[in-house]
Amino acid sequence: MRIGIIGPMDEEVSLLLSVIKDQRESEVGNHKYVEGTYLNHKVVLVKSGIGKVCAASAALVLILQFKVDAIINTGCAGGIGDGLKIGDIVLSTELAYHDFDLKIFGYKRGQVPSYEQCFKADMNLVNKAKDAADKLTAAGNFTPHVRLGTVLSGDQFIADKATCLAMKADFKNAQVTEMEGAAVAQVCEDFKVPCLVIRSVSDTAEGEAPEIFEKFVQLAADNSAKLLTALMAEL
Ligand code: ADE
C-alpha cells in the first residue's frame, strides 16, 4: 500500500522521520515530500505547515503527484470531549470545519455547499487503528486512552472554554479541535481516497492552552505517530 502521511509541524513528523527507511526527498511547491518505506509499505511523508490551506495543498499533491492509496493525518489537538486527558488519542470518524459559516443561507455550521456538514473518515482505517491501539495497550507499553469521534478544524488556535462549549453544542460528538484534519478529509472525499486523522491531546483548548500546548506538543505528537506506526503494521 502507498500511504500518504501529513503532519503539520516538525514535532508531528519527527518520530516518523526517524523510522522511515530508504528516504528520498523531493520538493513540490513549497513543501518537501519524503518517500520511503515502513514495514511492507511505501510511504510519502510531508510536513504540511499549519492550517487548512497548507493541509489541503499537501493532500492534493500526495494524491495527484504521489498517487497514494490513503492519507493519514497525524498530530496533536486541543481536547474538548469530556474526560479527555493530555496524551489521549482521538481517531476521526468524521470531520468538519468549525469556522466555515453559511448558516445565514440555511446551511449547517461548517457545511460547505454540495457537501454534508461533516466529511467522513474511512471506517476500515478507523477500526484497524483502534485494533492497533488495543494491541499496544494490551502489550503494556501504551498508556493513552483512545476513542473515536468528530474532529473539528479551523484556522484558529482555540484557547477559550466558551468557544469549546459552542462547538460541542453544534457538533454532538466533537472530541478535538485542530487546524488541518477536515481540509485533508475534504480533498480525500473529492478524490475518493480513504482518509484517517489521528490526533493526540496536547491541551484542552481552554485559557491556559498556549502554555500547556508548548509543554506537551512533543508528547502528544509522538503518541499519535506511535499509533500510526502500529496501524501500518495492521495494513
Ligand atoms: N492544536 C493543538 N491544540 C490546539 C488548539 N487548542 N486549537 C487548535 N489547534 C490545536
Side-chain angles (χ1 to χ4, degrees):
M1 197 172 177
R2 198 169 171 80
I3 303 170
I5 302 173
I6 298 175
M9 296 167 52
D10 282 322
E11 290 88 341
E12 292 159 311
V13 296
S14 58
L15 187 146
L16 295 162
L17 280 172
S18 73
V19 297
I20 292 172
K21 303 249 184 311
D22 314 316
Q23 295 189 11
R24 192 155 44 89
E25 203 174 280
S26 50
E27 216 165 297
V28 183
N30 201 24
H31 293 128
K32 288 196 182 86
Y33 292 78
V34 177
E35 290 174 87
T37 56
Y38 185 76
L39 303 176
N40 54 335
H41 300 294
K42 295 202 161 91
V43 297
V44 189
L45 171 67
V46 55
K47 182 185 83 165
S48 62
I50 296 172
K52 295 184 296 184
V53 173
C54 287
S57 161
L60 196 58
V61 170
L62 286 173
I63 293 168
L64 293 183
Q65 180 136 347
F66 292 96
K67 313 275 185 222
V68 298
D69 303 307
I71 294 184
I72 301 172
N73 174 213
T74 175
C76 59
I80 60 175
D82 292 343
L84 277 174
K85 302 261 186 304
I86 300 290
D88 286 349
I89 293 178
V90 173
L91 302 169
S92 64
T93 49
E94 35 182 34
L95 305 100
Y97 301 126
H98 64 73
D99 62 350
F100 190 101
D101 189 351
L102 287 177
K103 291 202 297 291
I104 202 158
F105 293 108
Y107 293 94
K108 295 178 182 157
R109 179 173 177 184
Q111 187 179 14
V112 180
S114 86
Y115 295 85
E116 302 285 317
Q117 182 188 31
C118 295
F119 309 106
K120 302 261 180 291
D122 181 84
M123 285 311 293
N124 180 47
L125 288 175
V126 173
N127 292 330
K128 288 208 162 120
K130 183 69 172 76
D131 290 347
D134 290 344
K135 282 188 195 165
L136 279 180
T137 307
N141 50 7
F142 196 65
T143 51
H145 292 103
V146 180
R147 67 169 76 161
L148 277 51
T150 304
V151 173
L152 297 180
S153 309
D155 289 315
Q156 238 181 318
F157 185 90
I158 305 293
D160 172 54
K161 189 166 174 88
T163 305
C164 298
L165 291 174
M167 291 198 288
K168 291 205 285 187
D170 287 335
F171 299 94
K172 293 295 171 231
N173 196 23
Q175 299 295 334
V176 286
T177 183
E178 39 81 297
M179 301 180 69
E180 297 82 16
V184 173
Q186 183 179 2
V187 173
C188 285
E189 183 171 314
D190 284 351
F191 289 88
K192 301 194 171 22
V193 171
C195 155
L196 169 67
V197 174
I198 305 175
R199 292 284 177 157
S200 172
V201 173
S202 56
D203 61 272
T204 49
E206 296 178 5
E208 304 296 299
E211 295 77 24
I212 296 178
F213 169 82
E214 298 278 4
K215 197 162 164 204
F216 293 109
V217 56
Q218 190 67 64
L219 175 139
D222 286 348
N223 280 355
S224 179
K226 257 180 228 161
L227 180 48
L228 170 52
T229 58
L231 164 62
M232 287 195 282
E234 300 280 316
L235 296 175

